Structures are given as structure tokens and as C-alpha cells.
Amino acid sequence: PLSEITVQALSFKYPNADSYTINDIDLSIHSGETIAIVGENGSGKTTLVKLLLGIYHSTKGAICINGVNIELVCRQDLYRHIAFLSQEHTIYKLTLLENLMMGLKDENETTRMSESRIQNVLESVGLKKLLTDSWQDTNIGKEFGGIELSGGEIQRLAIARIILKDCEMVVLDEPTSAIDPIQEAEILTQFIELSRNKTSVIITHRIGICTQVDRIFVMKQGCICESGSHEELLA
Ligand code: ADP
């Protein structure tokens, strides 16, 4: 199990960049915690998360998963434990069911997944209206005789997919795109609720959400300039 992620003196520079995007960061994330990462655009939030997930390699410093340097951890094993919803997530022009099953670890799991479990998750992310009699075969995309989803619905479907993957840790990089703020807050709240017993890391620009998390990391110019609970930061 994933019990702790620790980061020591982490710095990162994009190839060909003049300066560091991540500057000497120390942090730790414990099992079961819900963490929000906030900060201005360009402060390095997405880059930090991609480093924590081993998608990028650190320039300096170390990231350890349960005390083992991430560079020594098999990525395939790691990603069995972590579900990541990136800003670049995609909904494919396949059926609704195929889209939902995409993140699962193997075929056995897909076969074992009960219909009621999938229906419950779709309901919990606010997509009950997609549960028609033949919902499993519903195609996504008008050009395939299917349905067209709104930006908010695509977001909800992507969240349903990572909830069904049922990993110990979930990481969400909130898109800053076209969803209206009320819907967005609602989707995030649902996501936090559904991830209660998991380790969760959420990049968000919605400060209101921070009352619902255990700890907040505030980023500025590649550093964590403040961290703590919502009350601690207010104080
Ligand atoms: P945030 O998520 O806080 O908006 P990012 O981590 O996306 O910040 O970006 C931090 C900085 O790194 C920005 O200045 C951005 O331009 C730069 N950056 C992001 N991705 C790349 C890349 N692939 N190559 C070079 N620079 C990048």
C-alpha cells in the first residue's frame, strides 16, 4: 500500500528553460490525506504533480514513495495505485461503458465490475440522466448516432472513470476551462466526497473548496510559500 510520499529539496527545470520551474520543495503526503494545491497560473502546480507521479524526472532532489526513490519504482506498479485525472483527459468516441472501463487494470476487473456499481457511480457524479435502458451501448458522439456531451458532462464522466478505477490515491488537475463555476464547485465537492477514504491531491483555483480538505499547499514561483489547514492559513 501507498503509505507516504516524501519530497526532499526537489527542483525541476524544463529542458532548454533558463530558470527552474520547481524550486527546492520539501513536502510529505500521508495515506488518507486530502490535499489541495493552489496558486497563480504558472506557479508550477501541474509540474509538481507530474513530478510526484513520476511523469517528469526531477532535476535535483528526491521523491520517495514509502521510502523508496521514485526512480527505482516500476511505473506500472505505481499506476496500479494511483488514478490521475489530468487536464488533457479524453473522452473517446466509443460507447459510454467502454469510456468508463478504460482506466481499469485488466480485463478480469472489467468483467467483474457489477452493473449496479457503475450505475451508482454515474448517479453520484450527477450523470443519472445517461442511464437509459440501453445505456451501456450508448455511443458518445453525434456522428456515431450517439449523444453529445457538454463540457461539464465530459468532466463528470472523466471523474466517474477514475472513481471506478478505485485506486488508493487519486490526483485531479482541475481544468480551468468552460464549465460554469457553480457546476465546477459541485463536481469538485462530489469528487472529494467520493475520495474520502483515499489519499487525494487536487489542484484547484477554487479557494472555497479548501475548507473541505485536510491541508493546503500554496504555490508561488515554483515554491510552496505556505501550507497548512484552512484555519491555519486564515490565521
Ligand atoms: P500551473 O499548473 O501552476 O499553472 P505549470 O506547472 O503548468 O503551472 O507551469 C509552470 C511554468 O512552467 C510556467 O511558466 C509554464 O510556462 C512552464 N511550463 C509548463 N509546461 C512546460 C513545458 N512543457 N515546457 C516548458 N515550460 C513549461
Side-chain angles (χ1 to χ4, degrees), residues 14-15 17 21 39-48 56 87 173 203:
Y14 280 101
T21 294
E40 288 165 12
N41 274 347
S43 57
K45 303 181 295 296
T46 300
T47 307
L48 175 63
Y56 296 157
Q87 292 198 14
D173 192 354
I203 297 178

Side-chain angles (χ1 to χ4, degrees), residues 12-17 19-22 37-50 56 87 173-174 176 203 219-222:
F12 175 78
K13 196 157 80 136
Y14 280 101
N16 305 323
S19 56
Y20 280 86
T21 294
I22 296 296
I37 305 180
V38 301
E40 288 165 12
N41 274 347
S43 57
K45 303 181 295 296
T46 300
T47 307
L48 175 63
V49 156
K50 287 188 173 171
Y56 296 157
Q87 292 198 14
D173 192 354
E174 176 194 292
T176 42
I203 297 178
M219 288 195 71
K220 195 170 185 179
Q221 296 176 343

Side-chain angles (χ1 to χ4, degrees), residues 92-101 110-120 122 127-140 146-147 157 164:
Y92 299 90
K93 305 254 164 166
L94 297 167
T95 66
L96 183 55
L97 187 64
E98 284 166 328
N99 267 292
L100 286 166
M101 296 293 99
T110 308
T111 322
R112 280 198 311 270
M113 176 79 63
S114 76
E115 195 168 318
S116 61
R117 162 102 179 113
I118 302 169
Q119 288 175 337
N120 285 340
L122 279 176
L127 287 178
K128 192 174 176 190
K129 73 167 212 195
L130 298 184
L131 291 168
T132 58
D133 289 341
S134 55
W135 69 269
Q136 299 198 353
D137 303 316
T138 301
N139 276 308
I140 311 288
I147 50 168
L157 198 55
L164 286 169

Side-chain angles (χ1 to χ4, degrees), residues 6-11 21-27 43-44 48 51-52 60-62 217 219-220 222-225:
T6 50
V7 170
Q8 282 172 336
L10 179 70
S11 294
T21 294
I22 296 296
N23 263 311
D24 200 21
I25 285 184
D26 291 287
L27 62 84
S43 57
L48 175 63
L51 284 160
L52 294 179
K60 292 187 210 163
F217 296 151
M219 288 195 71
K220 195 170 185 179
C223 302
I224 293 181
C225 61

